[in-house]
Amino acid sequence: MTEWASYTFEEDNADGAELALAGRLIISSVGSLDGELRNIDRPIARVDIAQVEEIDTVGAWLVWRLARDHDAEITGANDKAQRLIETVRSSASTAEIAPPRMPVFERVPEIVGLTVTGWGKGAIQLVGFFGSILVAFWGMVRQPSRFQTKALVRQIELVGVNSLGIIGLMSFLIGIVIAQQGAVQLRQFGAEIYTINLTGRITLRELGVLMTAIMVAGRSGSAFAAQIGTMKLTEEVDAMRTIGVSPIEALVIPRILAAVLMMPLLGFFSAVIGIIGGAFLADVALDIPFFTFLARIQEVVPLHDVWVGLVKAPVFGLIVGLAGCYQGMQVKSNAEEVGLRTTMAVVQAIFMVIVLDAFFAVFFTEVGWD
Amino acid sequence: MAENQQPDIVEEAAPNEEHYNGDYAIVVEGLTNRFGDQAVHENLSLKVRRGEILGIVGGSGTGKSVLMRSIIGLQIPSEGHIEVLGHSITEAEPDEQIGVRSRWGVLFQGGALFSTLTVGENVEVPLRQFYPEIGDELRHEIARYKVRLSGLPEEATSKYPSELSGGMKKRAGLARALALDPELLFLDEPTAGLDPIAASAFDRRTRELTDTLGLTVFLITHDLDTLYEICDRVAVLADGQVIAVGTIPELLATDHPWIQEYFNGPRGRAAKASRKRAKAMDKQPSGKA
């Protein structure tokens, strides 16, 4: 158990009250003494530390502060105590620990204002960013030697090939869920056979691409933001610029291209696996043989459902890649920002994907691809 | 050659462990660190005396930082025994380790400040962690004077690490390392990347703090000026071992080629010359008076 430092008061001296400190005046044993000393409101003429067994800078600070606040004299200090008291005296400071915080009624409007203007600025910057990508891309078209094939292949591996497993598993399970839940509802009308239409159309048209986009946003969009953000922090991006390598060409375009190219493939893959999942469930639980299910898919799913899915996919890929790279490039100061920007990249990408998906759904129905 | 010129030093160069009978702040015995097949340390032994500034030098990749990480318990050694301030680090119970941890401070190479906290708040982190009974006001006061103590201006207290220059970051790291009034201070290349003025100011501050606070300092450095200026002794790491420990004159008296090249290379000679000049300037005014 800690032994706390203590103090005694002697007031009957002719030349004023004397406060004598005793025990170990070190950081581990002054916790309670501090409060007691602060509450002394009687005048003190002398602070005696002859009885102090051990002292460190925290103890010295307490002694000096006491003497300063009461205009008292310090007595009984040995060499070390004197040295430490002198050290803390010369280091005394009144600085704020943290920058001053404004009162709530000023802070809240300020944050609201900054957020709103931030949206406007963000939109403009995003358009600017997209523009610089187009410019860089045009430069690459005119000068194909600048194209970073290696980086693109690497990103294709990361975004596409490496996510096949998780996307396959997810789609298989979603296929099962759709077929199972659909069958339960359709059975009530005796229309259980339409489970095939439901599974086939919804995976190819909507869910395959949508779920894939969400997965890619979570897997790759976040990685884009975190990688580029960290590279910004370690000045790698600046180093690239000074060497004459455009970070847009070297970092952003391969990532966005990989996302745009991989999304249709992954989306189609996801739809196919989803249908297989549905067929598997139908075989096991609904007495529809596996291959009959697959054969029926060909008959009941119109070809334009496949096109609906495939048209949406690259757009979603572009959004995911753009959000990830843009947020990554916005990182400026510290590690916390990398985390915040990564979160923002994922949230923005998923949100935009869902908004656009709703738009596409209405659009394709209107143009007759229902 | 050195023997003829400096006979007084050769006497001192005799194995110095024998005529030291104070206690040791750090004792490392038979330390072996292996990463895969590669052994960084092979049966390394080192003793750091209480109250000294021990400089650790060695070529890149000789495991200076790994040695420090082993001593402070961040790297579990493959073999060997390490004792810090009388407590075994290699065999300590977690409770005992925490107790020892509050008695040392570490300054990492990049400062390793918590980037989301201000300098003052950075200093407060160890205080909060180890001594929760200390009231807010006293904790703020401690943080304030520690920041000044490390040589930073008052205004730096409320700044974030990203707003500080490299030299100021090092000082802020030093302030945090000093937060708990440690007995032992580990400095990993404290002057690397600083301009010569900031570096020598940092050196002076380290020396002053060591003397006033009675610290023991384990100092990894490549800075020859630092070695000449403030180190009581220097330990040389090579081939996975400490090949020599002693004052610089003692080291110069050995004939190990790496040590000779290190201290007698152009930079070594320059540092030595500037040390001599500084000493001469110190003496002049007192001689005249």
Side-chain angles (χ1 to χ4, degrees):
Chain A
M1 209 39 228
T2 324
E3 246 181 72
W4 303 105
S6 62
Y7 73 97
T8 50
F9 229 123
E10 283 174 43
E11 266 179 298
D12 31 319
N13 286 332
D15 46 351
E18 175 178 299
L19 186 134
L21 289 161
R24 304 169 71 215
L25 269 190
I26 57 174
I27 186 166
S28 57
S29 57
V30 296
S32 62
L33 182 69
D34 171 53
E36 292 167 29
L37 291 181
R38 257 177 227 284
N39 290 332
I40 296 175
D41 48 6
R42 290 176 285 185
I44 303 169
R46 275 192 314 284
V47 179
D48 184 69
I49 53 171
Q51 300 301 312
V52 170
E53 296 157 26
E54 209 180 333
I55 190 164
D56 66 4
T57 64
V58 177
W61 170 262
L62 281 182
V63 172
W64 179 75
R65 193 191 62 200
L66 193 67
R68 180 195 62 183
D69 293 349
H70 293 271
D71 214 2
E73 189 190 343
I74 299 167
T75 59
N78 58 18
D79 267 5
K80 187 185 177 194
Q82 217 139 32
R83 210 169 57 221
L84 292 178
I85 290 170
E86 182 51 35
T87 308
V88 294
R89 190 192 61 73
S90 60
S91 300
S93 140
T94 53
E96 294 291 334
I97 297 293
R101 274 164 75 97
M102 285 187 295
V104 177
F105 58 87
E106 284 178 34
R107 213 163 56 219
V108 171
E110 186 187 337
I111 291 170
V112 171
L114 285 177
T115 311
V116 172
T117 51
W119 285 338
K121 274 187 204 150
I124 294 170
Q125 276 178 341
L126 193 60
V127 171
F129 185 70
F130 190 57
S132 61
I133 290 172
L134 291 182
V135 170
F137 196 71
W138 178 240
M140 280 183 171
V141 171
R142 293 201 310 181
Q143 226 182 322
S145 61
R146 267 158 63 189
F147 190 73
Q148 310 254 352
T149 318
K150 249 189 191 168
L152 176 66
V153 172
R154 169 85 183 131
Q155 289 303 325
I156 284 179
E157 185 192 348
L158 289 173
V159 176
V161 182
N162 289 355
S163 64
L164 283 176
I166 185 69
I167 288 178
L169 181 64
M170 175 189 74
S171 308
F172 189 76
L173 295 176
I174 285 177
I176 286 180
V177 172
I178 294 169
Q180 200 265 331
Q181 291 297 312
V184 170
Q185 298 301 319
L186 291 168
R187 188 177 293 147
Q188 297 175 13
F189 310 102
E192 214 172 0
I193 195 70
Y194 283 101
T195 305
I196 301 170
N197 303 38
L198 178 71
T199 313
R201 297 203 65 180
I202 205 168
T203 47
L204 278 167
R205 215 182 148 97
E206 287 294 334
L207 281 185
V209 175
L210 188 64
M211 296 307 291
T212 305
I214 291 173
M215 183 58 85
V216 170
R219 245 188 117 259
S220 305
S222 59
F224 294 168
Q227 280 168 357
I228 296 179
T230 312
M231 290 176 84
K232 283 273 286 192
L233 281 191
T234 55
E235 296 180 317
E236 278 177 68
V237 173
D238 294 337
M240 277 184 187
R241 283 210 180 94
T242 56
I243 301 169
V245 179
S246 150
I248 302 272
E249 282 176 21
L251 299 175
V252 176
I253 288 184
R255 284 177 170 76
I256 291 183
L257 261 188
V260 170
L261 292 178
M262 285 301 102
M263 263 305 297
L265 302 185
L266 287 173
F268 187 72
F269 167 76
S270 163
V272 169
I273 300 287
I275 290 168
I276 291 175
F280 169 77
L281 182 106
D283 191 54
V284 173
L286 307 177
D287 294 329
I288 303 171
F290 190 81
F291 289 103
T292 312
F293 190 103
L294 295 188
R296 279 288 292 166
I297 288 280
Q298 280 192 323
E299 294 162 27
V300 302
V301 178
L303 191 62
H304 65 239
D305 275 6
V306 180
W307 291 123
V308 168
L310 290 182
V311 166
K312 289 194 288 190
V315 180
F316 292 174
L318 178 70
I319 289 171
V320 169
L322 204 59
C325 294
Y326 171 71
Q327 295 295 349
M329 292 297 275
Q330 296 303 306
V331 171
K332 280 181 194 80
S333 54
N334 57 33
E336 190 192 13
E337 213 191 339
V338 177
L340 285 177
R341 291 286 177 183
T342 306
T343 310
M344 257 204 272
V346 176
V347 172
Q348 271 183 352
I350 293 177
F351 177 74
M352 282 305 293
V353 161
I354 290 173
V355 168
L356 268 184
D357 193 54
F359 168 78
F360 275 126
V362 177
F363 174 78
F364 284 125
T365 312
E366 287 297 311
V367 299
W369 276 7
D370 50 359
Chain B
M1 194 187 91
E3 284 170 37
N4 296 337
Q5 285 176 345
Q6 297 168 311
D8 51 335
I9 285 159
V10 176
E11 274 178 19
E12 278 179 28
N16 44 41
E17 294 302 329
E18 277 131 47
H19 55 77
Y20 177 74
N21 38 26
D23 57 347
Y24 293 100
I26 304 173
V27 179
V28 179
E29 270 163 2
L31 175 72
T32 301
N33 268 311
R34 276 192 212 94
F35 296 104
D37 296 337
Q38 198 196 354
V40 178
H41 299 133
E42 197 79 71
N43 199 18
L44 178 150
S45 295
L46 176 68
K47 288 176 172 177
V48 183
R49 297 172 183 173
R50 233 175 234 272
E52 74 172 345
I53 298 183
L54 178 73
I56 308 289
V57 300
S60 300
T62 49
K64 301 183 294 291
S65 293
V66 177
L67 174 61
M68 184 181 104
R69 291 172 63 85
S70 304
I71 295 173
I72 59 182
L74 290 177
Q75 160 84 35
I76 297 169
S78 316
E79 278 165 47
H81 179 82
I82 298 171
E83 213 177 281
V84 179
L85 302 167
H87 296 267
S88 164
I89 295 300
T90 34
E91 285 120 46
E93 300 291 314
D95 280 358
E96 195 184 343
Q97 278 220 8
I98 289 169
V100 191
R101 258 163 221 266
S102 70
R103 293 167 64 192
W104 72 51
V106 184
L107 170 61
F108 288 96
Q109 238 178 74
L113 294 168
F114 304 124
S115 55
T116 53
L117 302 179
T118 63
V119 172
E121 286 166 344
N122 261 285
V123 178
E124 286 188 358
V125 172
L127 293 168
R128 256 182 226 276
Q129 182 65 30
F130 284 103
Y131 303 112
E133 75 274 6
I134 289 181
D136 283 355
E137 255 180 285
L138 179 60
R139 204 179 52 241
H140 293 333
E141 286 170 3
I142 296 175
R144 281 190 199 113
Y145 81 74
K146 294 274 153 112
V147 169
R148 294 268 329 263
L149 201 60
S150 66
L152 283 171
E154 248 181 78
E155 314 83 75
T157 319
S158 60
K159 285 197 174 138
Y160 286 93
S162 55
E163 300 170 289
L164 300 180
S165 68
M168 288 169 92
K169 271 185 203 160
K170 292 268 167 88
R171 279 158 189 263
L174 181 66
R176 191 179 67 188
L178 289 173
L180 299 174
D181 268 82
E183 295 160 52
L184 184 56
L185 196 57
F186 292 91
L187 306 176
D188 192 354
E189 305 209 12
T191 53
L194 300 192
D195 68 79
I197 298 170
S200 71
F202 195 97
D203 284 347
R204 250 180 286 129
R205 184 60 68 165
T206 311
R207 183 78 248 181
E208 274 170 34
L209 290 171
T210 310
D211 295 342
T212 43
L213 309 183
L215 299 171
T216 306
V217 181
F218 181 95
L219 178 125
I220 298 175
T221 190
H222 276 306
D223 191 332
L224 283 152
D225 289 316
T226 307
L227 293 175
Y228 274 102
E229 212 59 46
I230 64 168
C231 290
D232 296 310
R233 294 193 306 155
V234 175
V236 183
L237 250 66
D239 313 322
Q241 294 188 328
V242 175
I243 53 169
V245 192
T247 60
I248 293 177
E250 284 169 7
L251 293 179
L252 284 171
T254 63
D255 50 5
H256 193 282
W258 193 85
I259 298 177
Q260 289 299 329
E261 201 182 335
Y262 191 87
F263 288 103
N264 284 330
R267 283 158 187 276
R269 284 201 305 273
K272 194 176 174 185
S274 82
R275 176 78 188 131
K276 270 186 185 155
R277 272 201 305 279
K279 267 190 175 166
M281 271 159 71
D282 279 351
K283 275 177 191 166
Q284 256 176 6
S286 60
K288 276 177 188 169

